[in-house]
């Protein structure tokens, strides 16, 4: 069984493709779309009756990235102050306190960064991870995500039957799917079929 994904430039093309998928036997739960413009996404969901797909949660990588950035921020804010305390002769007596300040800056930065990373990691904003769940290679998923940043809309038809996957490719091409060669430069079809 295969899933089929494609990119479209206009919401009208997406509506045409989603309606055609319904007409050709795709269950409403097995196809959908996603885009980065939340207002346009809500309008398109209202027009089509299809709920938009959110990106996958970022998970522990968001926490670790937040902790790393928080630690770096803590160092950037405290190391210069400690160096100034060491350089100026009359303030050298406070240098040990500057070291403690660096320690607490790093710990506080890592803690706050981890907290914000955890909060950000639950927002469903990782679209590359979502596309990787369709079986896409990382480079192709990055290309799709970059195209979404440029305003394109990702549409997908989840696996039901092989015959329907073939039909979904035809529907996406007929509805005006973006040429993937222009997007990621790899000679992909307008609709990227991926094994699930």
């Amino acid at each position: 069984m295969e899933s089929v994904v494609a990119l479209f430039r206009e919401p009208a093309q997406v509506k045409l493709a989603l309606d055609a998928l319904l007409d050709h036997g795709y269950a409403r739960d097995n196809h959908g779309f996603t885009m980065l413009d939340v207002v346009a996404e809500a309008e398109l969901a209202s027009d089509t009756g299809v709920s938009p797909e959110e990106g996958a949660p970022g998970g522990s990588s968001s926490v670790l990235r937040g902790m790393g950035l928080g630690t770096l921020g803590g160092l950037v804010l405290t190391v210069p102050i400690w160096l100034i305390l060491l350089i100026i002769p009359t303030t050298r007596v406070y240098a040990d306190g500057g070291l403690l300040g660096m320690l607490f800056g790093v710990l506080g930065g890592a803690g706050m960064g981890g907290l914000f990373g955890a909060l950000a990691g639950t927002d469903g904003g990782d679209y590359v991870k979502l596309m990787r769940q369709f079986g896409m290679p990382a480079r192709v998923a990055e290309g799709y995500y970059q195209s979404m940043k440029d305003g394109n809309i990702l549409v997908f038809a989840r696996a039901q039957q092989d015959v329907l996957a073939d039909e979904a490719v035809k529907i996406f091409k007929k509805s005006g799917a973006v040429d993937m060669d222009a997007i990621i430069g790899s000679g992909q079809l307008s609709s990227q079929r991926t094994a699930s």
Side-chain angles (χ1 to χ4, degrees), residues 89-148:
T90 58
T91 61
R92 281 193 191 134
V93 72
Y94 302 113
D96 290 341
L99 280 175
L100 285 175
M102 278 184 8
L103 174 66
F104 288 117
V106 166
L107 292 176
M112 292 300 290
L115 176 66
F116 284 114
L119 293 174
T122 60
D123 69 351
D126 192 341
Y127 292 98
V128 173
K129 187 184 279 187
L130 170 70
M131 289 178 264
R132 295 293 308 271
Q133 291 171 358
F134 287 120
M136 281 187 204
R139 186 183 64 79
V140 175
E142 288 286 346
Y144 272 90
Y145 181 57
Q146 186 58 48
S147 180
M148 287 175 62

Side-chain angles (χ1 to χ4, degrees), residues 5-11 13-14 17-18 147 151-156 171-178 191:
V5 296
L7 288 166
F8 292 89
R9 295 193 198 287
E10 299 295 327
Q13 295 171 319
V14 174
L18 293 175
S147 180
N152 291 318
I153 306 162
L154 178 74
V155 178
F156 58 87
I171 288 169
F172 287 163
K173 285 182 179 182
K174 186 177 178 182
S175 300
V178 173
S191 299

